[in-house]
Every structure is written in C-alpha cells, then in structure tokens.
Amino acid sequence: LPLLGFDLRAKLFPSGSDTDAAYLAEFNAPMVTQPAIFVTELALGYTLVDLGVTPSAMAGHSIGEFVAATLAGVFSEADALELIATRARLSANEAPEGKMLSVSIDEATAAEVAATEPDKLWVAVQNAAGRQVIAGEASAIDRAAAALLQRGVKSRPLPVNRAYHTPLMSGVQSALARLLERMQLSAPSVPLCCNRTGGWLE
C-alpha cells in the first residue's frame, strides 16, 4: 500500500459496479498489472511450498522471474516489492505507450516483420519455435498485424499498453539497475533459469 499509493486488493477483487471495459482498462495499466501479477504468483509460490512442494529448480517469465528469485531468496520480500512497485511506476511514467503482438510464426519470420520498421518494431519474446511476440510503437504494431493478416497469419494483441522487452523500455532498465545496485542480493537457494540466456542465473 505505501509503495503503490492504493490498495491493490480493490483492483484484484473489484466491486460489482465496475464494468468489464472500465475495469480492464484500469487493470491493464502498468501500475496495477505488474504488482498484481507479482503478488498473485508469489502467493501461489508460498502456497505450494506450504503444501510441501519443494522445487528442484525454478523459472519464470518477466515478472515471474522476479517471483522465482524472491522465492529462492535472491531478494528479500521487502526489496522485491519495492523493485516491482518501482518498475511499475517507471513503466507508467517513463516508458512510451506501445503494444505487443503474439504471433504463431517462426523466429526468422518474426525478425523479418520487425525489420520492416527498424527502431519501431522488435522481436520481444521467443516463447517457442513457432511462438513469437513482436512489440513496439502502437501504430507500427497495428501495421504489422494488418500486414500479417494479409499473408493469412493471425495474431493476438496482448493486454498491455507498453512494449515490454524492447529498447522502448531502456529508461526503465537504467533506473532499475541503479535501484538494484543498492539492494543486497543473495545467491539463489535453488537453480533459477535465466530468461535471457536459457542458462542458470549466478
């Protein structure tokens, strides 16, 4: 609550008076979405541990990687909450609006699409051999989706309004690096898979 300035529970469990469209528009903003994902996944992790599930290794995507690191003791819970709240605030205030597009194409085709508008489109996530996410400026993503549809390729916009995992987030990255420099980090208690390399975090 003090880190966000509002009660996240009211966003996670809205009153019946909220319309779906209004609720989703507010929920999909970085200040709500990022902390909501973090606390929900962390609560799930704590629950699994309480039920006796002991991980031999962990992996998480994006915010989930912070959750895995918290469960593995890399961050204290207080530092992790500060980090996520800061990431959310910076994403909302420092990063330009953007879009992300999930597309069932191979990596080479995704790179080809991104290359049609350099410095506006990027391959942001490589989920699997035929599952890519292209992200970038909102208008460029709209054009890419239309061009893909002309080729018979359907795509699905992700419910976010930032181009995460692209250079459009570089200002956020720099500020988070400065915050991390003053935090005490510990070696993970269980192996953690690194999103960026596919190897193990040290």
Side-chain angles (χ1 to χ4, degrees):
L1 178 58
L3 292 169
L4 295 178
F6 61 88
D7 190 338
L8 187 59
R9 291 169 296 187
K11 311 298 183 185
L12 286 165
F13 307 104
S15 68
S17 61
D18 291 331
T19 65
D20 287 347
Y23 171 69
L24 287 175
E26 184 178 16
F27 192 86
N28 289 339
M31 278 301 295
V32 178
T33 301
Q34 294 185 31
I37 292 171
F38 181 81
V39 299
T40 300
E41 291 186 358
L42 189 64
L44 175 60
Y46 286 155
T47 300
L48 289 170
V49 170
D50 285 347
L51 291 172
V53 178
T54 304
S56 56
M58 288 191 283
H61 168 69
S62 194
I63 294 285
E65 195 167 31
F66 288 101
V67 174
T70 305
L71 290 169
V74 174
F75 306 109
S76 69
E77 185 181 282
D79 282 350
L81 290 170
E82 181 183 1
L83 191 61
I84 293 302
T86 302
R87 184 182 191 269
R89 185 171 56 256
L90 290 168
S91 296
N93 299 334
E94 304 296 331
E97 288 201 10
K99 288 185 177 180
M100 302 185 79
L101 195 67
S102 178
V103 192
S104 296
I105 53 179
D106 59 41
E107 184 181 339
T109 305
E112 176 189 318
V113 171
T116 61
E117 297 200 45
D119 300 323
K120 292 185 179 181
L121 291 175
W122 295 269
V123 179
V125 182
Q126 299 165 331
N127 283 319
R131 305 278 306 219
Q132 314 298 321
V133 176
I134 299 169
E137 295 181 5
S139 58
I141 286 290
D142 291 342
R143 289 189 292 272
L148 284 164
L149 190 57
Q150 284 186 334
R151 294 163 59 173
V153 178
K154 293 182 180 178
S155 59
R156 180 175 58 87
L158 300 184
V160 295
N161 57 15
R162 296 293 185 276
Y164 295 106
H165 311 293
T166 73
L168 294 180
M169 305 299 293
S170 59
V172 174
Q173 184 180 22
S174 300
L176 282 181
R178 290 192 296 273
L179 176 58
L180 278 166
E181 284 175 357
R182 67 173 179 79
M183 288 185 171
Q184 180 176 343
L185 306 179
S186 300
S189 59
V190 297
L192 293 177
C193 183
C194 176
N195 280 186
R196 186 173 180 85
T197 67
W200 300 108
L201 287 170
E202 296 179 359

